């Protein structure tokens, strides 16, 4: 186990005592309102990617624990007090959770940064954003309406919008607090119960939020948290015959496995997957915004974001000037201590991710791309890669087609509007896109033409629970956030009555 002083050292004095206390406490699974060890007794180490030191030991839940959680969640859903709780009370629970997340935002942000490596400023935003998400869905709990339909005079027909039931929710390591909120808040608002599995790389904030959930006295079994690995605990959730719905955020590769595993009981599936988003820049763009925001577009969370703007398309006659500006601006941004409030780019989350990004830097150079900036991974402790900007990239190169998940952008020239759209859409993904121009008609034409679930005009990475998020093509199935999550977490019953 890690010696606590090393955590304090790593935190440069900003670690709160609440975080240190949490790290020292033994970690267990949350099943049926109780903290229990994994049935196998196994645990695994979770680390700080900034210095590779062990932060804590976490239970390695697997199929046996998932089975137990499903049994208890099913009881809570069918027979427990949750099944008799009305929408106002559900809203009150969600509001209390939001308040607690806000009160503990600083502590949660530090914990997230220690475990994930994301810049503390970003982690703070994610923690307060999670509170907003819970509040937003608290509002929905009392507004989930059915319809009365214009039936024949001898009949009365109406619809009920009912919860789906037991929901398996598998989240990734790149925004654990936010992803937990996107999953649990709408599920509970609609009256479902949840079995949440955080990613093996970043289990800590979910466990801490599990403790906070206990403080609001949610009925036992309504939220269960199973830490463990994807191939075991995750796969058991995806295949479980008594889970009614699975919501997954992660890689396209695993999304396909989840979809296959779901066919056993035809559980409902929503998938938010990878991306290779085009960020299209015209010469009339407001560079003062376009440069820092485009950098943020591919460097936020060290580029480990499914909607990262990693293909930067720039009109040919403006290409060299843009690259010069972007490179100059980016050269002042270095990967560094994520707990330092001025850091933009922290470490990558794991050794595996570091090796993957390093591999793509080599592939890019072999393919003939030229690093205008960066291009090398760092040596030494921690998984740091400085921002990298590749030029001389063609859209058919591997680095322009595959998701790198590091702070790496490919700048690709385009001839005209049509060419920008053709190249932008020439990808198997369709999660997000952006366009920078002061020509308002062109901006909206391009927003329509790009095949992506979200398009940003003169901005990047804006995400708000009021608006749907999800992907075209292989970037996913379904939309989360906004009223769309209500659709994911409810099912419709049509009732006919003979008058
Ligand atoms: P990434 O490639 O970004 O690491 P993954 O798609 O591998 O993301 O992981 C996202 C989440 O999916 C994690 O919680 C992980 O444990 C889980 N997972 C990985 N493999 C499987 C699987 N075969 N079945 C179910 N869940 C899985």
């Amino acid at each position: 186990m890690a010696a606590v002083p090393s955590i304090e050292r790593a935190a440069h004095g900003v670690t709160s005592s609440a975080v240190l206390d949490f790290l020292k406490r033994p970690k267990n699974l949350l099943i049926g309102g109780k903290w229990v060890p994994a049935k196998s007794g196994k645990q695994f180490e979770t680390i700080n990617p900034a210095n590779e030191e062990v932060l804590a030991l976490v239970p390695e839940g697997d199929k046996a624990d998932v089975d137990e959680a499903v049994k208890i969640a099913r009881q809570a859903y069918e027979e427990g007090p949750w099944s008799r709780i009305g929408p106002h009370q559900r809203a009150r629970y969600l509001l209390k959770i939001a308040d607690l997340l806000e009160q503990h935002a600083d502590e949660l942000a530090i914990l997230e940064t220690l475990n994930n490596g994301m810049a503390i400023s970003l982690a703070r935003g994610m923690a307060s954003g999670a509170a907003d998400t819970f509040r937003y869905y608290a509002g929905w709990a009392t507004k989930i309406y059915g319809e009365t339909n214009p039936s024949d005079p001898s009949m009365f027909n109406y619809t009920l919008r009912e919860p789906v039931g037991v929901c398996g929710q598998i989240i990734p390591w790149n925004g654990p607090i936010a992803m937990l909120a996107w999953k649990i808040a709408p599920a509970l608002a609609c009256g479902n119960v949840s079995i949440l599995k955080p990613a093996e790389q970043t289990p800590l904030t979910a466990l801490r939020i599990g403790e906070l959930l206990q403080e609001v006295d949610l009925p036992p079994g309504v939220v269960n948290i199973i830490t463990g690995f994807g191939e075991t605990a995750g796969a058991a959730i995806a295949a479980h015959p008594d889970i009614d719905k699975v919501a997954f955020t992660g890689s396209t590769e695993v999304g396909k496995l989840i979809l296959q595993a779901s066919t056993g009981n035809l559980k409902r599936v929503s998938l938010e997957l990878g991306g290779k988003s085009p960020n299209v820049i015209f010469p009339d763009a407001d560079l003062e915004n376009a440069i820092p925001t485009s950098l943020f577009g591919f460097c936020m969370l060290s580029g480990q974001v499914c909607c990262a703007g990693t293909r930067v398309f720039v009109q040919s006659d403006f290409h060299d000037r843009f690259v010069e500006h972007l490179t100059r601006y980016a050269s002042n941004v270095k990967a560094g201590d994520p707990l330092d409030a001025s850091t933009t780019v922290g470490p990558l989350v794991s050794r595996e991710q570091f090796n993957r990004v390093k591999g793509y830097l080599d592939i890019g150079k072999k393919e003939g791309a030229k690093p205008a900036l960066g291009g090398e991974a760092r040596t030494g402790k921690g998984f740091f890669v400085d921002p990298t900007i590749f030029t001389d990239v063609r859209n058919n190169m591997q680095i322009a087609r595959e998701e790198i998940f590091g702070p790496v952008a490919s700048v690709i020239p385009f001839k005209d509007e049509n060419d920008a759209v053709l190249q932008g859409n020439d990808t198997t993904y369709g999660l997000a896109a952006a366009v920078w121009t002061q020509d308002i008609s062109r901006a909206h034409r391009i927003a329509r033409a790009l095949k992506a679930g979200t398009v940003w005009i003169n901005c990047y990475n804006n995400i708000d629970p009021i608006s749907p998020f999800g992907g075209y093509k292989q970037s996913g199935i379904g939309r989360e956030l906004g009223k769309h999550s209500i659709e994911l977490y409810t099912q419709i019953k049509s009732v006919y009555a003979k008058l």
Side-chain angles (χ1 to χ4, degrees), residues 170-173 197-200 229-230 234-235 248-251 254 257-258:
I170 302 173
I171 60 171
W173 44 261
K197 194 197 87 62
E200 47 272 47
F229 290 88
F248 169 79
T249 301
S251 60
V254 173
L257 295 177
I258 303 254

Side-chain angles (χ1 to χ4, degrees), residues 172 248-258 271-274 356 403 405 429 474:
F248 169 79
T249 301
S251 60
T252 295
E253 190 191 350
V254 173
K256 289 179 182 174
L257 295 177
I258 303 254
L271 304 172
E272 198 261 274
L273 308 174
R356 176 192 161 109
E403 204 175 24
F405 245 51
Y429 294 110
Q474 294 193 32

Side-chain angles (χ1 to χ4, degrees), residues 357-433:
V357 173
K358 221 166 115 180
Y360 275 111
L361 295 178
D362 293 340
I363 289 170
K365 285 180 265 181
K366 276 199 201 108
E367 286 183 303
K370 304 257 173 337
L373 185 74
E376 303 292 335
R378 288 211 201 152
T379 52
K381 282 275 175 215
F383 309 126
F384 291 96
V385 175
D386 289 315
T388 292
I389 299 168
F390 276 124
T391 58
D392 295 49
V393 181
R394 286 184 315 280
N395 198 36
N396 61 2
M397 287 182 179
Q398 205 177 336
I399 53 163
R401 301 207 77 77
E402 295 175 11
E403 204 175 24
I404 297 175
F405 245 51
V408 183
S410 295
V411 184
I412 306 171
F414 67 83
K415 285 198 290 288
D416 53 24
E417 187 174 323
N418 205 23
D419 185 34
V421 169
L422 279 176
Q423 291 201 68
N425 284 340
D426 183 11
T427 164
T428 53
Y429 294 110
L431 192 58

Side-chain angles (χ1 to χ4, degrees), residues 25 38 174 304 428 431 486:
R25 284 198 286 281
N174 58 346
Q304 304 166 114
T428 53
L431 192 58
I486 302 302

Side-chain angles (χ1 to χ4, degrees), residues 30 109 144 244 249 263 273 288 326 332 374 404 417 441 453 490:
L30 180 61
I144 301 172
D244 301 297
T249 301
T263 57
L273 308 174
E288 269 192 34
L326 182 65
N332 292 320
I404 297 175
E417 187 174 323
S441 302
T490 53

Side-chain angles (χ1 to χ4, degrees), residues 12-24:
H12 296 312
V14 286
T15 300
S16 70
S17 59
V19 172
L20 292 175
D21 289 348
F22 170 74
L23 289 173
K24 283 185 227 167

Side-chain angles (χ1 to χ4, degrees), residues 237 288 334 370 419 472 494:
I237 289 174
E288 269 192 34
K334 294 248 180 314
K370 304 257 173 337
D419 185 34
Y472 281 39
S494 174

Side-chain angles (χ1 to χ4, degrees), residues 46-241:
T46 189
I47 63 157
N48 176 352
N51 59 15
E52 302 178 51
E53 289 179 5
V54 177
L55 289 167
L57 286 175
V58 169
E60 188 182 327
D62 60 21
K63 182 173 180 306
D65 306 288
V66 169
D67 286 347
E68 178 73 10
V70 173
K71 209 167 74 200
I72 290 178
R74 174 61 63 193
Q75 270 167 12
Y77 179 68
E78 306 287 352
E79 301 150 32
W82 191 241
S83 58
R84 295 185 294 278
I85 278 173
H88 290 294
Q89 180 59 22
R90 289 206 303 275
R92 279 195 287 271
Y93 277 123
L94 292 179
L95 290 171
K96 280 196 215 161
I97 295 170
D99 288 346
L100 273 177
L101 290 176
E102 213 153 58
Q103 282 159 26
H104 293 266
D106 218 42
E107 171 198 342
L108 288 168
I110 291 169
L111 194 57
E112 191 85 305
T113 292
L114 286 172
N115 204 189
N116 165 284
M118 73 171 71
I120 187 73
S121 52
L122 182 61
R124 288 205 168 100
M126 289 211 183
S128 67
D132 288 342
T133 304
F134 273 92
R135 263 189 212 113
Y136 174 79
Y137 283 107
W140 267 107
T142 49
K143 292 158 201 78
I144 301 172
Y145 296 104
E147 301 156 327
T148 51
N149 298 318
S151 31
D152 186 274
S154 67
M155 299 294 294
F156 175 43
N157 175 257
Y158 61 93
T159 59
L160 295 172
R161 203 173 252 281
E162 298 184 328
V164 177
V166 177
C167 300
Q169 305 187 303
I170 302 173
I171 60 171
W173 44 261
N174 58 346
I177 300 176
M179 292 299 106
L180 175 149
W182 288 25
K183 300 286 184 281
I184 293 183
L188 299 197
C190 297
N192 300 280
V193 297
S194 160
I195 294 160
L196 179 100
K197 194 197 87 62
E200 47 272 47
Q201 297 85 346
T202 55
L204 293 181
T205 44
L207 292 175
R208 179 67 188 116
I209 292 174
E211 292 182 347
L212 298 177
L213 293 179
Q214 299 286 80
E215 289 181 28
V216 307
D217 287 330
L218 268 180
V222 172
V223 175
N224 306 275
I225 299 176
I226 309 274
T227 50
F229 290 88
E231 303 74 30
T232 49
I237 289 174
H240 203 288

